[in-house]
Amino acid sequence: MHFTPRFTPHFTSARRLDDGVLDRDFTLGEIPGVLWTPASATPSAPAPLILVGHPGGLHKRLPRLVARARHYAARYGFAVAAIDAPGCGDRPRDTAGDQARADFRRAIQAGELTDEIVHAFIVPLVDQAVPEWQATLEALLSLPEIGGPVGYDGMLPIGIRLAATEPRIAAAALFGQTFVPDALREEARKVGIPLRFLMQWDDEGMERQPVLDLFDAFGTKEKTLHANMGGHTGAPWFEVEEGARFFARHLK
Amino acid sequence: MHFTPRFTPHFTSARRLDDGVLDRDFTLGEIPGVLWTPASATPSAPAPLILVGHPGGLHKRLPRLVARARHYAARYGFAVAAIDAPGCGDRPRDTAGDQARADFRRAIQAGELTDEIVHAFIVPLVDQAVPEWQATLEALLSLPEIGGPVGYDGMLPIGIRLAATEPRIAAAALFGQTFVPDALREEARKVGIPLRFLMQWDDEGMERQPVLDLFDAFGTKEKTLHANMGGHTGAPWFEVEEGARFFARHLK
């Protein structure tokens, strides 16, 4: 049987980094992305793929995302891809999405966040982003140096939907947060794949209990919670190593 | 300055295991113990020491404790020691301790556990065990193939007191449980060393919230909570690897 992807990545740049990783920009239709592949990835030894998502509104070349992606590739032999979400990074602004994001941020500042406001921001973003990630993984799996299965390491709401619905996703690492509408919490119950769930115990931007409740909601029997100190952006570097080993256990 | 230990271990057996680890029984006064040292431990390259505690009432050669100890030694180059707690394993029964343990178990069965009953069982055990662990680490540090700093990986109440009071303990890995009297919870606030705290999310034998509250109580700024599925005795093997890497970060 010949596999014909519906989408093919179009590479627009390529450079070999000093750690041996090949760093390539690509576009997939209107989606801009980056692919990092280790020197070890060849057609006879294809590398498993990890999709790395960025926090909402930020860029696919966010420095701490790039550091994680390169480490996964250089040290652990994974192929790693990032794309810009709709309305983010190098993509054209999205007026409706910008409005929903602005409403969401205003409600957080004012302490007036409701499930409706979270829903209005998060659900359209997930509805758009998940098919784009699916197109991306399908396109990248068509490359001879990349093989399945696939991991997702990124934004929690997108990860819930991908993990619950996309059979090629075999393991997910998600960063716990409270901004998950009730509808997506229900989807979390359907997740059956291995899950690594990271949270900051002393996160100044969110309450602890709803994050723990969300971890509890995931239906999978193979889930691990890691909680650390250091505030919202203070997750320690060793969690990147432990994340890589989590994917190595499940994708290799 | 010449270091003169007050105690010296008396070795009563020695055998080299197939993984290269030297397994020796010892006594230290009335305390029976086991020491595992890796082939790499020499006077010019002394191995850091990990003290491995067993759950109350069980034996220092409990199979899953031995598996963890040998793995730490063979794979990660640690010296590892276990001793029998007062009244446990190869030690003479302790009538008062047995009574307190029986009362404690009966209260659990009957759903009538109180802080007084926990206190009556746990605090005398901690009061006896902590000085014995201190004598053990002092004696073992006098061996030329063992060097500081020292880690503790074991029973939570003993670990709280050791971590809070013994300056040679540089890192602790503890298994979360609810049977901690209020007095020891207060001592947890004084712990300032790196802490790895493991719990089972679906532990059938204890409530979740008091375990989370106990993790929260530790005063150290460098603490990590790991929660897994699989019931009380179902902690996954990869946590042994992650435990070893935790100690490698802090003891080497």
Side-chain angles (χ1 to χ4, degrees):
Chain A
M1 240 165 59
H2 185 67
F3 173 68
T4 310
R6 286 175 294 158
F7 304 99
T8 309
H10 174 65
F11 290 104
T12 57
S13 81
R15 61 197 174 110
R16 183 72 65 180
L17 306 174
D18 54 11
D19 51 17
V21 170
L22 184 62
D23 172 314
R24 287 177 282 180
D25 287 292
F26 66 85
T27 57
L28 191 69
E30 65 189 49
I31 309 166
V34 190
L35 175 65
W36 295 270
T37 43
S40 60
T42 63
S44 60
L49 177 64
I50 299 176
L51 308 175
V52 178
H54 57 74
L58 298 173
H59 194 279
K60 65 188 173 306
R61 284 195 183 269
L62 185 69
R64 66 174 191 265
L65 183 152
V66 172
R68 189 161 88 236
R70 286 183 59 175
H71 195 72
Y72 282 176
R75 178 77 188 276
Y76 293 90
F78 291 111
V80 185
I83 59 175
D84 279 326
C88 296
D90 294 329
R91 299 183 69 168
R93 295 308 95 187
D94 161 10
T95 313
D98 284 354
Q99 185 60 48
R101 185 192 314 275
D103 292 346
F104 170 77
R105 290 193 171 152
R106 202 175 303 120
I108 290 178
Q109 293 294 330
E112 295 169 353
L113 205 59
T114 62
D115 191 61
E116 288 68 35
I117 295 171
V118 176
H119 192 107
F121 171 45
I122 296 290
V123 170
L125 191 154
V126 169
D127 286 345
Q128 273 195 282
V130 166
E132 293 190 352
W133 275 118
Q134 290 175 299
T136 301
L137 76 87
E138 185 166 331
L140 297 178
L141 287 175
S142 75
L143 299 174
E145 71 272 27
I146 296 181
V150 181
Y152 179 78
D153 180 346
M155 196 190 172
L156 184 81
I158 294 171
I160 292 173
R161 174 78 56 82
L162 264 177
T165 61
E166 170 51 58
R168 288 167 292 192
I169 299 287
L174 303 175
F175 191 88
Q177 46 125 306
T178 52
F179 310 128
V180 177
D182 295 341
L184 268 169
R185 282 182 189 257
E186 285 307 307
E187 291 186 43
R189 299 190 193 282
K190 297 176 200 153
V191 171
I193 60 171
L195 170 70
R196 175 180 141 79
F197 188 99
L198 204 60
M199 72 178 282
Q200 289 297 93
W201 192 252
D202 57 349
D203 195 316
E204 61 280 12
M206 55 188 78
E207 286 178 75
R208 188 182 296 157
Q209 196 57 49
V211 181
L212 293 171
D213 291 344
L214 186 60
F215 173 69
D216 197 49
F218 278 90
T220 178
K221 284 289 159 215
E222 199 166 347
K223 59 184 178 183
T224 299
L225 169 74
H226 285 199
N228 292 286
M229 303 292 283
H232 183 68
T233 58
W237 176 258
F238 63 74
E239 289 291 357
V240 173
E241 303 283 354
E242 294 187 358
R245 285 188 289 257
F246 164 80
F247 284 118
R249 284 200 299 277
H250 297 292
L251 305 183
K252 284 188 174 174
Chain B
M1 237 164 59
H2 186 66
F3 173 68
T4 308
R6 286 174 292 160
F7 305 101
T8 311
H10 173 65
F11 289 105
T12 57
S13 82
R15 60 195 174 111
R16 184 71 66 179
L17 306 174
D18 55 10
D19 52 16
V21 171
L22 184 61
D23 173 314
R24 285 178 283 180
D25 287 293
F26 66 85
T27 57
L28 191 69
E30 66 189 50
I31 309 165
V34 190
L35 175 65
W36 295 270
T37 43
S40 59
T42 63
S44 59
L49 176 64
I50 300 177
L51 308 176
V52 178
H54 57 75
L58 298 172
H59 194 279
K60 64 189 173 308
R61 283 194 184 270
L62 185 71
R64 65 175 192 269
L65 183 152
V66 173
R68 188 161 89 238
R70 286 183 59 175
H71 195 73
Y72 283 176
R75 178 76 189 278
Y76 293 90
F78 291 110
V80 185
I83 59 175
D84 279 326
C88 295
D90 295 328
R91 298 182 70 169
R93 296 308 94 188
D94 161 9
T95 315
D98 283 355
Q99 185 59 49
R101 186 193 312 277
D103 292 345
F104 170 76
R105 289 194 173 151
R106 202 175 305 119
I108 291 178
Q109 294 294 331
E112 293 169 352
L113 206 60
T114 62
D115 191 60
E116 288 68 34
I117 295 171
V118 176
H119 192 107
F121 172 43
I122 297 290
V123 170
L125 192 154
V126 170
D127 286 347
Q128 274 196 279
V130 166
E132 293 190 351
W133 275 118
Q134 290 176 299
T136 302
L137 77 85
E138 185 166 330
L140 296 178
L141 287 175
S142 75
L143 299 174
E145 70 272 28
I146 295 181
V150 182
Y152 178 79
D153 180 347
M155 197 191 172
L156 185 81
I158 294 172
I160 291 173
R161 174 78 56 82
L162 265 176
T165 61
E166 170 51 60
R168 288 167 291 192
I169 299 286
L174 303 175
F175 192 87
Q177 44 125 308
T178 51
F179 310 128
V180 177
D182 294 342
L184 268 167
R185 283 183 188 258
E186 285 306 308
E187 292 186 41
R189 299 190 193 282
K190 298 175 198 153
V191 171
I193 60 171
L195 170 71
R196 172 180 144 80
F197 189 98
L198 204 60
M199 72 178 281
Q200 289 297 92
W201 193 252
D202 56 350
D203 195 317
E204 61 281 11
M206 55 187 79
E207 286 177 75
R208 188 182 296 155
Q209 195 57 49
V211 181
L212 294 170
D213 291 345
L214 186 60
F215 173 70
D216 197 49
F218 279 90
T220 178
K221 283 290 159 216
E222 198 165 349
K223 59 183 178 183
T224 299
L225 169 74
H226 285 199
N228 292 286
M229 303 291 284
H232 183 67
T233 59
W237 176 259
F238 63 75
E239 289 291 357
V240 174
E241 303 283 353
E242 293 187 358
R245 285 187 289 257
F246 164 79
F247 285 117
R249 284 199 299 277
H250 297 293
L251 304 184
K252 285 186 174 178

PDB file of all heavy atoms in Angstrom, chain B residues 173-199:
ATOM      1  N   ALA B 173      14.240  11.636  49.703  1.00  0.00           N
ATOM      2  CA  ALA B 173      13.135  11.143  48.869  1.00  0.00           C
ATOM      3  C   ALA B 173      12.183  10.403  49.799  1.00  0.00           C
ATOM      4  O   ALA B 173      12.582   9.442  50.458  1.00  0.00           O
ATOM      5  CB  ALA B 173      13.663  10.206  47.792  1.00  0.00           C
ATOM      6  N   LEU B 174      10.944  10.867  49.846  1.00  0.00           N
ATOM      7  CA  LEU B 174       9.991  10.323  50.813  1.00  0.00           C
ATOM      8  C   LEU B 174       8.723   9.875  50.106  1.00  0.00           C
ATOM      9  O   LEU B 174       8.312  10.471  49.111  1.00  0.00           O
ATOM     10  CB  LEU B 174       9.656  11.382  51.868  1.00  0.00           C
ATOM     11  CG  LEU B 174      10.875  11.930  52.628  1.00  0.00           C
ATOM     12  CD1 LEU B 174      10.450  13.057  53.558  1.00  0.00           C
ATOM     13  CD2 LEU B 174      11.588  10.826  53.398  1.00  0.00           C
ATOM     14  N   PHE B 175       8.107   8.835  50.664  1.00  0.00           N
ATOM     15  CA  PHE B 175       6.866   8.319  50.098  1.00  0.00           C
ATOM     16  C   PHE B 175       5.706   8.870  50.926  1.00  0.00           C
ATOM     17  O   PHE B 175       5.615   8.601  52.119  1.00  0.00           O
ATOM     18  CB  PHE B 175       6.882   6.789  50.121  1.00  0.00           C
ATOM     19  CG  PHE B 175       5.790   6.181  49.303  1.00  0.00           C
ATOM     20  CD1 PHE B 175       5.974   5.942  47.947  1.00  0.00           C
ATOM     21  CD2 PHE B 175       4.567   5.885  49.877  1.00  0.00           C
ATOM     22  CE1 PHE B 175       4.950   5.396  47.188  1.00  0.00           C
ATOM     23  CE2 PHE B 175       3.539   5.343  49.119  1.00  0.00           C
ATOM     24  CZ  PHE B 175       3.731   5.102  47.771  1.00  0.00           C
ATOM     25  N   GLY B 176       4.859   9.660  50.294  1.00  0.00           N
ATOM     26  CA  GLY B 176       3.786  10.363  50.989  1.00  0.00           C
ATOM     27  C   GLY B 176       2.773   9.433  51.618  1.00  0.00           C
ATOM     28  O   GLY B 176       2.371   8.446  51.016  1.00  0.00           O
ATOM     29  N   GLN B 177       2.390   9.728  52.844  1.00  0.00           N
ATOM     30  CA  GLN B 177       1.346   8.972  53.522  1.00  0.00           C
ATOM     31  C   GLN B 177       0.691   9.888  54.547  1.00  0.00           C
ATOM     32  O   GLN B 177       1.193  10.973  54.852  1.00  0.00           O
ATOM     33  CB  GLN B 177       1.931   7.712  54.166  1.00  0.00           C
ATOM     34  CG  GLN B 177       3.239   7.940  54.910  1.00  0.00           C
ATOM     35  CD  GLN B 177       3.191   7.491  56.332  1.00  0.00           C
ATOM     36  OE1 GLN B 177       2.284   7.873  57.059  1.00  0.00           O
ATOM     37  NE2 GLN B 177       4.181   6.728  56.729  1.00  0.00           N
ATOM     38  N   THR B 178      -0.423   9.424  55.083  1.00  0.00           N
ATOM     39  CA  THR B 178      -1.209  10.286  55.955  1.00  0.00           C
ATOM     40  C   THR B 178      -0.906  10.070  57.433  1.00  0.00           C
ATOM     41  O   THR B 178      -1.378  10.829  58.257  1.00  0.00           O
ATOM     42  CB  THR B 178      -2.710  10.022  55.743  1.00  0.00           C
ATOM     43  OG1 THR B 178      -2.935   8.613  55.834  1.00  0.00           O
ATOM     44  CG2 THR B 178      -3.146  10.500  54.384  1.00  0.00           C
ATOM     45  N   PHE B 179      -0.139   9.018  57.750  1.00  0.00           N
ATOM     46  CA  PHE B 179       0.044   8.656  59.152  1.00  0.00           C
ATOM     47  C   PHE B 179       1.196   9.429  59.770  1.00  0.00           C
ATOM     48  O   PHE B 179       2.231   8.878  60.139  1.00  0.00           O
ATOM     49  CB  PHE B 179       0.238   7.141  59.285  1.00  0.00           C
ATOM     50  CG  PHE B 179      -0.818   6.373  58.547  1.00  0.00           C
ATOM     51  CD1 PHE B 179      -0.486   5.374  57.646  1.00  0.00           C
ATOM     52  CD2 PHE B 179      -2.171   6.674  58.734  1.00  0.00           C
ATOM     53  CE1 PHE B 179      -1.471   4.682  56.949  1.00  0.00           C
ATOM     54  CE2 PHE B 179      -3.165   5.986  58.038  1.00  0.00           C
ATOM     55  CZ  PHE B 179      -2.813   4.986  57.148  1.00  0.00           C
ATOM     56  N   VAL B 180       1.007  10.724  59.841  1.00  0.00           N
ATOM     57  CA  VAL B 180       2.036  11.610  60.356  1.00  0.00           C
ATOM     58  C   VAL B 180       1.392  12.468  61.443  1.00  0.00           C
ATOM     59  O   VAL B 180       0.459  13.218  61.162  1.00  0.00           O
ATOM     60  CB  VAL B 180       2.593  12.506  59.237  1.00  0.00           C
ATOM     61  CG1 VAL B 180       3.610  13.489  59.787  1.00  0.00           C
ATOM     62  CG2 VAL B 180       3.212  11.649  58.140  1.00  0.00           C
ATOM     63  N   PRO B 181       1.854  12.342  62.676  1.00  0.00           N
ATOM     64  CA  PRO B 181       1.235  13.133  63.737  1.00  0.00           C
ATOM     65  C   PRO B 181       1.518  14.621  63.545  1.00  0.00           C
ATOM     66  O   PRO B 181       2.503  15.008  62.911  1.00  0.00           O
ATOM     67  CB  PRO B 181       1.890  12.601  65.012  1.00  0.00           C
ATOM     68  CG  PRO B 181       3.141  11.936  64.570  1.00  0.00           C
ATOM     69  CD  PRO B 181       2.922  11.467  63.165  1.00  0.00           C
ATOM     70  N   ASP B 182       0.640  15.439  64.123  1.00  0.00           N
ATOM     71  CA  ASP B 182       0.735  16.891  63.942  1.00  0.00           C
ATOM     72  C   ASP B 182       2.115  17.433  64.328  1.00  0.00           C
ATOM     73  O   ASP B 182       2.637  18.339  63.673  1.00  0.00           O
ATOM     74  CB  ASP B 182      -0.336  17.586  64.789  1.00  0.00           C
ATOM     75  CG  ASP B 182      -1.747  17.256  64.305  1.00  0.00           C
ATOM     76  OD1 ASP B 182      -1.876  16.787  63.151  1.00  0.00           O
ATOM     77  OD2 ASP B 182      -2.700  17.465  65.069  1.00  0.00           O
ATOM     78  N   ALA B 183       2.715  16.837  65.385  1.00  0.00           N
ATOM     79  CA  ALA B 183       4.013  17.332  65.843  1.00  0.00           C
ATOM     80  C   ALA B 183       5.073  17.202  64.745  1.00  0.00           C
ATOM     81  O   ALA B 183       5.904  18.094  64.550  1.00  0.00           O
ATOM     82  CB  ALA B 183       4.449  16.560  67.090  1.00  0.00           C
ATOM     83  N   LEU B 184       5.015  16.089  63.992  1.00  0.00           N
ATOM     84  CA  LEU B 184       6.004  15.911  62.923  1.00  0.00           C
ATOM     85  C   LEU B 184       5.689  16.793  61.714  1.00  0.00           C
ATOM     86  O   LEU B 184       6.595  17.223  61.000  1.00  0.00           O
ATOM     87  CB  LEU B 184       6.071  14.445  62.506  1.00  0.00           C
ATOM     88  CG  LEU B 184       7.118  13.626  63.255  1.00  0.00           C
ATOM     89  CD1 LEU B 184       6.913  12.140  63.018  1.00  0.00           C
ATOM     90  CD2 LEU B 184       8.536  14.022  62.868  1.00  0.00           C
ATOM     91  N   ARG B 185       4.418  17.048  61.472  1.00  0.00           N
ATOM     92  CA  ARG B 185       4.065  18.002  60.401  1.00  0.00           C
ATOM     93  C   ARG B 185       4.721  19.356  60.656  1.00  0.00           C
ATOM     94  O   ARG B 185       5.165  20.033  59.737  1.00  0.00           O
ATOM     95  CB  ARG B 185       2.550  18.194  60.323  1.00  0.00           C
ATOM     96  CG  ARG B 185       1.858  17.060  59.652  1.00  0.00           C
ATOM     97  CD  ARG B 185       0.356  17.275  59.516  1.00  0.00           C
ATOM     98  NE  ARG B 185      -0.203  16.039  59.040  1.00  0.00           N
ATOM     99  CZ  ARG B 185      -0.571  15.813  57.780  1.00  0.00           C
ATOM    100  NH1 ARG B 185      -0.515  16.765  56.881  1.00  0.00           N
ATOM    101  NH2 ARG B 185      -1.010  14.638  57.398  1.00  0.00           N
ATOM    102  N   GLU B 186       4.761  19.742  61.924  1.00  0.00           N
ATOM    103  CA  GLU B 186       5.417  21.010  62.260  1.00  0.00           C
ATOM    104  C   GLU B 186       6.905  20.947  61.944  1.00  0.00           C
ATOM    105  O   GLU B 186       7.484  21.901  61.431  1.00  0.00           O
ATOM    106  CB  GLU B 186       5.196  21.351  63.738  1.00  0.00           C
ATOM    107  CG  GLU B 186       3.793  21.852  64.037  1.00  0.00           C
ATOM    108  CD  GLU B 186       3.406  23.031  63.152  1.00  0.00           C
ATOM    109  OE1 GLU B 186       4.166  24.013  63.084  1.00  0.00           O
ATOM    110  OE2 GLU B 186       2.347  22.951  62.489  1.00  0.00           O
ATOM    111  N   GLU B 187       7.529  19.774  62.211  1.00  0.00           N
ATOM    112  CA  GLU B 187       8.965  19.636  61.904  1.00  0.00           C
ATOM    113  C   GLU B 187       9.221  19.737  60.399  1.00  0.00           C
ATOM    114  O   GLU B 187      10.279  20.183  59.961  1.00  0.00           O
ATOM    115  CB  GLU B 187       9.507  18.310  62.458  1.00  0.00           C
ATOM    116  CG  GLU B 187       9.540  18.279  63.980  1.00  0.00           C
ATOM    117  CD  GLU B 187      10.220  17.029  64.526  1.00  0.00           C
ATOM    118  OE1 GLU B 187      11.256  16.600  63.988  1.00  0.00           O
ATOM    119  OE2 GLU B 187       9.700  16.464  65.521  1.00  0.00           O
ATOM    120  N   ALA B 188       8.233  19.300  59.602  1.00  0.00           N
ATOM    121  CA  ALA B 188       8.402  19.361  58.143  1.00  0.00           C
ATOM    122  C   ALA B 188       8.634  20.789  57.659  1.00  0.00           C
ATOM    123  O   ALA B 188       9.344  21.019  56.678  1.00  0.00           O
ATOM    124  CB  ALA B 188       7.183  18.760  57.449  1.00  0.00           C
ATOM    125  N   ARG B 189       8.064  21.760  58.383  1.00  0.00           N
ATOM    126  CA  ARG B 189       8.247  23.167  57.973  1.00  0.00           C
ATOM    127  C   ARG B 189       9.710  23.593  58.071  1.00  0.00           C
ATOM    128  O   ARG B 189      10.141  24.539  57.424  1.00  0.00           O
ATOM    129  CB  ARG B 189       7.387  24.090  58.835  1.00  0.00           C
ATOM    130  CG  ARG B 189       5.925  23.789  58.705  1.00  0.00           C
ATOM    131  CD  ARG B 189       4.976  24.785  59.335  1.00  0.00           C
ATOM    132  NE  ARG B 189       3.642  24.185  59.388  1.00  0.00           N
ATOM    133  CZ  ARG B 189       2.829  24.099  58.336  1.00  0.00           C
ATOM    134  NH1 ARG B 189       3.183  24.618  57.173  1.00  0.00           N
ATOM    135  NH2 ARG B 189       1.646  23.503  58.441  1.00  0.00           N
ATOM    136  N   LYS B 190      10.487  22.881  58.921  1.00  0.00           N
ATOM    137  CA  LYS B 190      11.891  23.263  59.127  1.00  0.00           C
ATOM    138  C   LYS B 190      12.827  22.631  58.093  1.00  0.00           C
ATOM    139  O   LYS B 190      14.015  22.938  58.078  1.00  0.00           O
ATOM    140  CB  LYS B 190      12.351  22.829  60.527  1.00  0.00           C
ATOM    141  CG  LYS B 190      11.579  23.509  61.644  1.00  0.00           C
ATOM    142  CD  LYS B 190      12.008  22.948  63.004  1.00  0.00           C
ATOM    143  CE  LYS B 190      10.959  23.269  64.070  1.00  0.00           C
ATOM    144  NZ  LYS B 190      10.966  22.290  65.167  1.00  0.00           N
ATOM    145  N   VAL B 191      12.296  21.732  57.268  1.00  0.00           N
ATOM    146  CA  VAL B 191      13.155  21.054  56.287  1.00  0.00           C
ATOM    147  C   VAL B 191      13.546  22.047  55.190  1.00  0.00           C
ATOM    148  O   VAL B 191      12.691  22.681  54.591  1.00  0.00           O
ATOM    149  CB  VAL B 191      12.437  19.829  55.684  1.00  0.00           C
ATOM    150  CG1 VAL B 191      13.234  19.255  54.517  1.00  0.00           C
ATOM    151  CG2 VAL B 191      12.206  18.778  56.764  1.00  0.00           C
ATOM    152  N   GLY B 192      14.848  22.172  54.962  1.00  0.00           N
ATOM    153  CA  GLY B 192      15.317  23.116  53.960  1.00  0.00           C
ATOM    154  C   GLY B 192      16.096  22.477  52.824  1.00  0.00           C
ATOM    155  O   GLY B 192      16.571  23.163  51.922  1.00  0.00           O
ATOM    156  N   ILE B 193      16.246  21.155  52.837  1.00  0.00           N
ATOM    157  CA  ILE B 193      17.044  20.474  51.803  1.00  0.00           C
ATOM    158  C   ILE B 193      16.141  20.040  50.648  1.00  0.00           C
ATOM    159  O   ILE B 193      14.919  19.951  50.794  1.00  0.00           O
ATOM    160  CB  ILE B 193      17.763  19.238  52.381  1.00  0.00           C
ATOM    161  CG1 ILE B 193      16.747  18.229  52.950  1.00  0.00           C
ATOM    162  CG2 ILE B 193      18.794  19.658  53.431  1.00  0.00           C
ATOM    163  CD1 ILE B 193      17.361  16.896  53.336  1.00  0.00           C
ATOM    164  N   PRO B 194      16.739  19.753  49.464  1.00  0.00           N
ATOM    165  CA  PRO B 194      15.940  19.278  48.336  1.00  0.00           C
ATOM    166  C   PRO B 194      15.141  18.022  48.690  1.00  0.00           C
ATOM    167  O   PRO B 194      15.675  17.103  49.317  1.00  0.00           O
ATOM    168  CB  PRO B 194      16.993  18.984  47.267  1.00  0.00           C
ATOM    169  CG  PRO B 194      18.114  19.905  47.584  1.00  0.00           C
ATOM    170  CD  PRO B 194      18.145  19.964  49.096  1.00  0.00           C
ATOM    171  N   LEU B 195      13.889  18.027  48.277  1.00  0.00           N
ATOM    172  CA  LEU B 195      12.957  16.960  48.637  1.00  0.00           C
ATOM    173  C   LEU B 195      12.270  16.420  47.384  1.00  0.00           C
ATOM    174  O   LEU B 195      11.777  17.181  46.550  1.00  0.00           O
ATOM    175  CB  LEU B 195      11.879  17.527  49.575  1.00  0.00           C
ATOM    176  CG  LEU B 195      10.689  16.605  49.871  1.00  0.00           C
ATOM    177  CD1 LEU B 195      11.125  15.441  50.760  1.00  0.00           C
ATOM    178  CD2 LEU B 195       9.556  17.391  50.540  1.00  0.00           C
ATOM    179  N   ARG B 196      12.254  15.103  47.289  1.00  0.00           N
ATOM    180  CA  ARG B 196      11.459  14.418  46.274  1.00  0.00           C
ATOM    181  C   ARG B 196      10.370  13.667  47.020  1.00  0.00           C
ATOM    182  O   ARG B 196      10.636  12.899  47.947  1.00  0.00           O
ATOM    183  CB  ARG B 196      12.376  13.444  45.532  1.00  0.00           C
ATOM    184  CG  ARG B 196      11.706  12.525  44.590  1.00  0.00           C
ATOM    185  CD  ARG B 196      12.770  11.630  43.955  1.00  0.00           C
ATOM    186  NE  ARG B 196      12.241  10.305  43.753  1.00  0.00           N
ATOM    187  CZ  ARG B 196      11.454   9.956  42.752  1.00  0.00           C
ATOM    188  NH1 ARG B 196      11.127  10.838  41.830  1.00  0.00           N
ATOM    189  NH2 ARG B 196      10.990   8.743  42.652  1.00  0.00           N
ATOM    190  N   PHE B 197       9.112  13.902  46.657  1.00  0.00           N
ATOM    191  CA  PHE B 197       7.965  13.404  47.409  1.00  0.00           C
ATOM    192  C   PHE B 197       7.098  12.598  46.455  1.00  0.00           C
ATOM    193  O   PHE B 197       6.561  13.126  45.481  1.00  0.00           O
ATOM    194  CB  PHE B 197       7.212  14.612  47.958  1.00  0.00           C
ATOM    195  CG  PHE B 197       6.098  14.313  48.940  1.00  0.00           C
ATOM    196  CD1 PHE B 197       6.316  14.418  50.309  1.00  0.00           C
ATOM    197  CD2 PHE B 197       4.833  13.971  48.506  1.00  0.00           C
ATOM    198  CE1 PHE B 197       5.293  14.190  51.213  1.00  0.00           C
ATOM    199  CE2 PHE B 197       3.798  13.734  49.404  1.00  0.00           C
ATOM    200  CZ  PHE B 197       4.024  13.847  50.765  1.00  0.00           C
ATOM    201  N   LEU B 198       6.999  11.313  46.734  1.00  0.00           N
ATOM    202  CA  LEU B 198       6.285  10.395  45.844  1.00  0.00           C
ATOM    203  C   LEU B 198       4.950  10.041  46.474  1.00  0.00           C
ATOM    204  O   LEU B 198       4.878   9.819  47.694  1.00  0.00           O
ATOM    205  CB  LEU B 198       7.153   9.143  45.711  1.00  0.00           C
ATOM    206  CG  LEU B 198       7.024   8.243  44.501  1.00  0.00           C
ATOM    207  CD1 LEU B 198       7.327   8.995  43.224  1.00  0.00           C
ATOM    208  CD2 LEU B 198       7.990   7.056  44.651  1.00  0.00           C
ATOM    209  N   MET B 199       3.891   9.986  45.675  1.00  0.00           N
ATOM    210  CA  MET B 199       2.614   9.496  46.205  1.00  0.00           C
ATOM    211  C   MET B 199       1.870   8.711  45.134  1.00  0.00           C
ATOM    212  O   MET B 199       2.136   8.857  43.946  1.00  0.00           O
ATOM    213  CB  MET B 199       1.733  10.644  46.714  1.00  0.00           C
ATOM    214  CG  MET B 199       1.134  11.503  45.623  1.00  0.00           C
ATOM    215  SD  MET B 199       0.046  12.829  46.264  1.00  0.00           S
ATOM    216  CE  MET B 199      -1.456  11.918  46.611  1.00  0.00           C
TER     217      MET B 199
END
